[in-house]
Amino acid sequence: MAEENNQSGMTRRDFLKNSGLVVGGVVGGGILGSLLTNSFTDETSPATDTEGEQTDQSGGEQLTKARMFFKRQEDFRVLSAAVERIFPEDDTGPGAVALAVPFFIDKQLAGEYGFNSREYMEGPFHEGAPTQGPQTGMRRREVFLYGVSKIQEVAQDEHGEAFFDLDGEQQDEILGAFQNAEVDMTGVASDAFFTMLRQATLEGVYSDPVYGGNLNMDGWRIKKYPGGQMAFFDVIEADEFIEMEPISLHAHHT
């Protein structure tokens, strides 16, 4: 399939840009099914290391980008490098890092999504069919921490360098090993972790900026998605596609 895409001039990003699956399927559930809560246990206290903190304007809202879950800068850098390989910057638009996807994932892991708070998490845990999803007692926050540290471990073992210092081809090889379940992990399969990581990346790219990703709504601009427009009465009968400036949900609450 990759060869066919190259012959037709279609890149990974072109496929994502033109695919209705991302908006209609992936983003329709998962992370966005829960909102970030403001209460934290000691385990989820905001990280004291706020290196890389910045501010931005998203849908008229000024957001502070500071880590809330990942306490170690090394782990956050591995996560950032991994999501950028899954959704890299190219001539169609910004990549995952520029779209603040690492901060989006960080915030979601600090909240209900990270705790699997709306899911049944009691045992027994037996290996299930591929269609049944991960059969593990580990919460997503635990899976992500474990998975990120495992990515770093594989990079050090195979290349003697940190994952974020490797070139793109080497990073892709490591992520491909996770995707193909070729990395030994305890409690969760490596391909299950990769699936979570990929889904979280795409949701961070295409979700409303109020959730912490899709910085400046540039993920929507890639697909010419208009966001949370109040109505389309003035353009619904237009014969041609009408490109509109996207609107964040935040705009409806200001």
Side-chain angles (χ1 to χ4, degrees), residues 221 224-226 240-245:
R221 289 187 174 91
K224 295 181 172 56
Y225 177 68
E240 298 180 357
F241 177 79
I242 304 297
E243 187 170 349
M244 309 173 71
E245 180 66 14

Side-chain angles (χ1 to χ4, degrees), residues 10-23 87 90-93 202 205-206 218-225 243:
M10 179 176 287
T11 65
R12 289 189 289 177
R13 290 287 298 280
D14 288 329
F15 173 78
L16 288 172
K17 178 181 176 182
N18 294 303
S19 173
L21 172 63
V22 176
V23 172
F87 197 90
D90 64 14
D91 56 359
T92 65
L202 295 179
V205 168
Y206 292 115
D218 287 336
W220 287 348
R221 289 187 174 91
I222 294 173
K223 296 176 67 69
K224 295 181 172 56
Y225 177 68
E243 187 170 349

Side-chain angles (χ1 to χ4, degrees), residues 72-121:
R72 299 197 326 143
Q73 176 71 0
E74 179 180 323
D75 292 338
F76 192 72
R77 291 184 67 188
V78 172
L79 173 72
S80 299
V83 299
E84 183 68 15
R85 294 311 301 166
I86 293 173
F87 197 90
E89 179 177 356
D90 64 14
D91 56 359
T92 65
V97 170
L99 290 168
V101 170
F103 290 101
F104 167 83
I105 294 175
D106 175 83
K107 287 177 172 58
Q108 300 305 322
L109 290 174
E112 293 181 358
Y113 170 80
F115 281 100
N116 298 67
S117 61
R118 302 189 182 188
E119 300 174 25
Y120 182 80
M121 293 295 294

